Amino acid sequence: MNILFASSEVAPFIKTGGLADVAGSLPKALAASGHDVRVILPLYEGIGQDWRNQMNYLFNFNVSLAWRTPYCGIFELKRDGVTYYFVDNEYYFKRAGLYGHYDDAERFAFFSRAVVETPGYLNWHPDVIHANDWQTALVCIYLLEERHRIPMLYGTQSVYTIHNIEYQGRYGKDLMVDLFGLNSGYFHEHMLAYHGDINLMKGAIYAADYVTTVSPTYANELQYAFYAHGLEGVIADNRHKLRGILNGIDTALYDPANGNGIAAAFNPDDLSGKAACKAALQQAVGLRQEPNVPIIACISRLVKHKGFDLVTSAIHDIMAMDVQMVVLGTGDWGYEEAFRQAQAQYPGRFSANIMYSAALSNAIYAGADLFLMPSEAEPCGLSQMIAMRYGTLPVVRETGGLRDSVRPNGVDGATGFTFADINAKDMVWVLGEAVGLYYGNKDAWHYLQHNAMTADFSWNRSAEDYLQIYNWITGKEMHPGRPFEEGPAEPQAPVEAAPVPEEPAPAEETAPVEETPVKKRVTRKKAAPKAAPAEEKAPAVEEPAPVGEKATATEVPAPVEVKAPAVEETAPVEEKAPAVEETAPVEEKATATEAPAPVEETATAADEPTPVEEKAPAAEEPAPAEEKTPAKKASGRKTAAKKPAAKKASGRKTPTKKSPSKAAPNAEK
Ligand code: GLC
């Protein structure tokens, strides 16, 4: 099957969020099962020279964008079995940042036209074009007509994936004909019209042959206004072709056993290296060298829907426990400032790192003990899965992909801690449960760590689910040469069949006004895993409920005090902690090639940037303090090559010598 994957960002070339990770890993997984997978993205200014040196210039043409005919150069790079096409137009993409420009509608309409027109110039027929989020929504709409007009697109089907419904691409109606080049007939309620405006995501949901979102729970949540941001009716109207498929992560990249970018390698059966990672992290971010105090970590954009109202309003409650905390990320000033103040107030115990750093994020995933992700909404979330790979137990709100990827303490195969409502007190309670387990029941803690580290977060299963959808809409074989029966054993339930989550109860401080709080989801106690001998008397518990099952209300155990045990002073780790810094990937240079003819290969696999080099010595595990187990309240879910032209590596507006002699019209605006 020929698959063209269109995305406005793709790791490792350029990234602002999880969309890039998915666009960087799902195509690889699809290609690994024998399909011809090609990915197309804009050639942004931010794409480094090292990558450009591996690109080959293929050709250029002029895109049809209403009355505009902007230049479009196509560069190619091959890597890990996938072919990447970079769309070049310096007027649109030689700018700082990816999004947020006054003419984003025009920039991504141009890109979407380029996606649809490129196959014709490649003389390559995509069976499926897979578009993502609002930036490529127009691809699905343009395809409605172009698949009858461009021979290479005859029969091409479209899949549209919603990674975050909050960003829809809403513009004035006047752009439709003059900018998007669409007939005014597209302005109707079952296409682009939305309260008198144009809504690109809405149009794509109607126009696409199939729609997916990034977790089964999010697919269900989208029927509620709280989550759907005004598109709940559109979702309801298109439920028959909507499915939630949980994202995977690149498990080869995020593997503590290879030790890449972390102070010491470790694995599920030998966690000794994690102590060295913890000491290195404490050293790197200015936390006290206390091997026995749990570190709670947050790595995120600091924005409301990630749950930072809960975190900032509960900072003192969290720090009242015997814990350390490290935050990494940038975002809204109010959150940044709250974390800076916490750092000033809790020196050596709270570390605010208001920045973006891939190297430091690796050090945190590897060295922390708990990963806090209390999102109000989370379509999928990848960080919690990465944290689990490194034995850093997630504490998450039961929403979207968080709910689908974390099994709460108390059920078989538990991998973390969860709470149901958008409520800071519930979050603190569950953090207390986690901290209590850390101090009071090491065996149970290690049981969770082992489960988390061995859970399968690879793309293996989810890539099959996408192939099944491609198969449904195209009739093409999922596995050429293999009998159809060997397809995925168990299709996920369509959106209607999956369990319907309750509406979230609004956070005390932050709840949206329109939402009415709904009854709380269960409360049940959690059981320590059977395998874990409780050292102290753990509160009496019921049998762990199977995941997915809804708990029924239970008595909340009288909170036993959650006293974090005093920790003995430990000698600071002497060795130097590794300096955490960004390292540029090393790549090889491609050789120059001639224009139009697609060149075969050249690209060398570039290694992912990997940070920390030195090894910090393993700090010895001090004997766990024996204190009371904390009280628990169950949260309970039971549930260019420049080769292109050797000359200009960067995006060009004008063709190089080898390029066809078309003049490169400036993109008018
Ligand atoms: C968006 C979502 C995030 C998801 C990612 C990849 O960034 O907010 O939850 O993991 O897309 O699909």
Side-chain angles (χ1 to χ4, degrees):
M1 193 159 3
N2 295 347
I3 302 155
L4 179 60
F5 197 92
S7 176
S8 60
E9 51 185 271
V10 180
F13 310 111
I14 190 93
K15 165 176 170 176
T16 70
L19 168 61
D21 290 314
V22 171
S25 52
L26 170 58
K28 261 201 290 193
L30 295 169
S33 44
H35 299 283
D36 183 353
V37 188
R38 310 188 186 189
V39 177
I40 185 164
L41 69 157
L43 183 56
Y44 297 105
E45 172 71 0
I47 294 179
Q49 191 60 45
D50 287 342
W51 292 121
R52 291 170 188 262
N53 290 341
Q54 297 178 49
M55 297 176 193
N56 293 305
Y57 167 77
L58 292 188
F59 50 76
N60 73 70
F61 57 95
N62 288 76
V63 154
S64 306
L65 188 62
W67 47 268
R68 301 160 184 77
T69 55
Y71 167 86
C72 174
I74 299 291
F75 289 82
E76 178 193 66
L77 184 158
K78 296 189 179 187
R79 185 171 191 262
D80 295 336
V82 176
T83 300
Y84 297 88
Y85 296 121
F86 295 83
V87 173
D88 175 38
N89 177 302
E90 291 191 345
Y91 172 77
Y92 290 131
F93 300 128
K94 191 173 169 62
R95 305 183 189 186
L98 277 64
Y99 317 121
H101 296 283
Y102 76 99
D103 56 349
D104 279 359
E106 178 173 339
R107 296 169 69 231
F108 291 103
F110 160 75
F111 176 57
S112 297
R113 286 295 319 174
V115 170
V116 170
E117 295 183 27
T118 296
Y121 292 92
L122 289 168
N123 204 25
W124 177 74
H125 163 71
D127 295 300
V128 174
I129 299 186
H130 190 148
N132 297 275
D133 273 354
W134 74 267
Q135 296 92 338
T136 46
L138 279 166
V139 167
C140 303
I141 297 161
Y142 289 140
L143 191 60
L144 293 175
E145 287 182 40
E146 300 300 355
R147 63 184 166 201
H148 301 293
R149 195 177 285 143
I150 300 175
M152 280 298 145
L153 297 181
Y154 289 173
T156 296
Q157 302 287 293
S158 62
V159 171
Y160 181 66
T161 296
I162 302 168
H163 294 262
N164 192 338
I165 207 164
E166 202 172 339
Y167 308 107
Q168 301 171 3
R170 185 170 170 179
Y171 296 101
K173 168 183 185 185
D174 49 333
L175 297 191
M176 201 159 86
V177 176
D178 181 71
L179 178 57
F180 299 146
L182 291 167
N183 184 284
S184 57
Y186 283 93
F187 193 80
H188 65 83
E189 283 307 323
H190 286 170
M191 190 52 68
L192 283 164
Y194 184 80
H195 298 296
D197 289 337
I198 287 173
N199 185 315
L200 298 179
M201 183 173 272
K202 175 182 175 181
I205 292 171
Y206 277 104
D209 294 300
Y210 211 91
V211 180
T212 70
T213 186
V214 292
S215 70
T217 292
Y218 192 60
N220 281 291
E221 290 173 338
L222 290 181
Q223 66 191 297
Y224 301 113
F226 177 83
Y227 292 101
H229 294 270
L231 292 186
E232 56 277 9
V234 174
I235 294 291
D237 219 11
N238 289 279
R239 246 179 335 205
H240 60 284
K241 58 169 188 181
L242 169 68
R243 177 167 162 192
I245 299 176
L246 191 67
N247 286 333
I249 56 173
D250 187 332
T251 48
L253 183 61
Y254 299 110
D255 182 2
N258 66 24
N260 286 343
I262 60 176
F266 57 97
N267 63 63
D269 300 316
D270 178 8
L271 284 159
S272 52
K274 190 163 170 73
C277 293
K278 183 168 182 172
L281 171 62
Q282 288 171 322
Q283 168 102 6
V285 302
L287 293 173
R288 285 185 209 147
Q289 291 285 333
E290 294 180 322
N292 294 326
V293 173
I295 303 178
I296 300 171
C298 284
I299 303 177
S300 178
R301 277 183 302 124
L302 305 179
V303 296
K304 184 177 182 326
H305 79 258
K306 294 289 185 182
F308 284 104
D309 282 343
L310 305 193
V311 180
T312 53
S313 68
I315 283 183
H316 305 302
D317 292 334
I318 296 172
M319 297 309 292
M321 294 186 267
D322 196 358
V323 299
Q324 295 184 347
M325 189 159 179
V326 57
V327 174
L328 172 64
T330 59
D332 295 351
W333 183 85
Y335 300 132
E336 294 183 351
E337 196 56 16
F339 292 136
R340 283 190 202 102
Q341 286 176 10
Q343 174 170 284
Q345 186 167 357
Y346 302 103
R349 296 186 54 222
F350 193 105
S351 172
N353 303 273
I354 308 305
M355 61 168 118
Y356 172 83
S357 166
L360 185 52
S361 70
N362 283 347
I364 293 175
Y365 285 127
D369 298 289
L370 287 165
F371 193 84
L372 178 59
M373 209 164 163
S375 306
E376 293 183 11
E378 194 60 72
C380 178
L382 304 170
S383 315
Q384 79 280 12
M385 299 187 207
I386 299 170
M388 285 187 267
R389 290 279 290 166
Y390 289 86
T392 299
L393 301 180
V395 177
V396 304
R397 190 175 92 76
E398 293 161 14
T399 185
L402 297 175
R403 184 178 187 273
D404 293 338
S405 62
V406 179
R407 296 169 67 90
N409 180 33
V411 304
D412 279 346
T415 57
F417 305 87
T418 73
F419 62 101
D421 296 341
I422 302 177
N423 182 307
K425 290 190 167 56
D426 286 6
M427 176 189 76
V428 171
W429 182 283
V430 170
L431 273 170
E433 173 189 349
V435 170
L437 199 70
Y438 177 90
Y439 280 122
N441 193 342
K442 284 286 183 219
D443 288 337
W445 184 268
H446 290 142
Y447 168 80
L448 261 67
Q449 278 187 311
H450 195 275
N451 290 340
M453 295 180 74
T454 52
D456 182 6
F457 295 120
S458 71
W459 273 105
N460 295 342
R461 178 182 40 78
S462 299
E464 285 286 295
D465 291 339
Y466 280 105
L467 284 172
Q468 185 182 62
I469 287 171
Y470 299 159
N471 161 267
W472 286 342
I473 60 179
T474 63
K476 297 269 179 172
E477 287 178 284
M478 291 174 60
H479 299 289
R482 263 168 62 180
F484 180 70
E485 297 70 42
E486 292 186 21
E490 209 172 298
Q492 290 178 12
V495 71
E496 310 83 346
V500 176
E502 294 167 11
E503 284 270 19
E508 289 148 26
E509 319 76 5
T510 63
V513 188
E514 329 83 53
E515 293 303 308
T516 345
V518 187
K519 51 239 157 159
K520 271 183 122 181
R521 243 169 113 164
V522 190
T523 343
R524 93 190 295 264
K525 307 181 187 175
K526 308 251 165 104
K530 302 177 184 141
E535 283 156 5
E536 256 2 62
K537 299 256 169 77
V541 261
E542 311 140 30
E543 268 305 79
V547 170
E549 177 195 329
K550 287 263 173 99
T552 40
T554 33
E555 351 67 270
V556 179
V560 181
E561 308 198 75
V562 183
K563 282 262 199 268
V567 183
E568 329 143 81
E569 278 297 43
T570 32
V573 177
E574 277 137 331
E575 297 62 10
K576 302 244 189 314
V580 178
E581 38 184 64
E582 298 275 10
T583 31
V586 181
E587 283 119 26
E588 294 170 22
K589 301 269 194 215
T591 45
T593 26
E594 291 306 309
V599 187
E600 313 288 63
E601 72 352 15
T602 49
T604 19
D607 291 316
E608 290 300 325
T610 32
V612 192
E613 321 261 67
E614 293 133 79
K615 310 261 188 209
E620 339 153 319
E621 259 314 85
E626 324 263 332
E627 236 59 28
K628 318 178 171 177
T629 356
K632 330 195 155 171
K633 155 181 165 192
S635 68
R637 183 155 69 91
K638 297 159 172 246
T639 65
K642 265 206 152 272
K643 217 48 136 359
K647 325 186 142 237
K648 313 173 142 193
S650 52
R652 296 160 310 129
K653 230 187 271 193
T654 46
T656 54
K657 24 170 142 201
K658 329 181 139 198
S659 323
S661 62
K662 283 193 176 214
N666 287 330
E668 324 58 9
K669 160 81 192 166

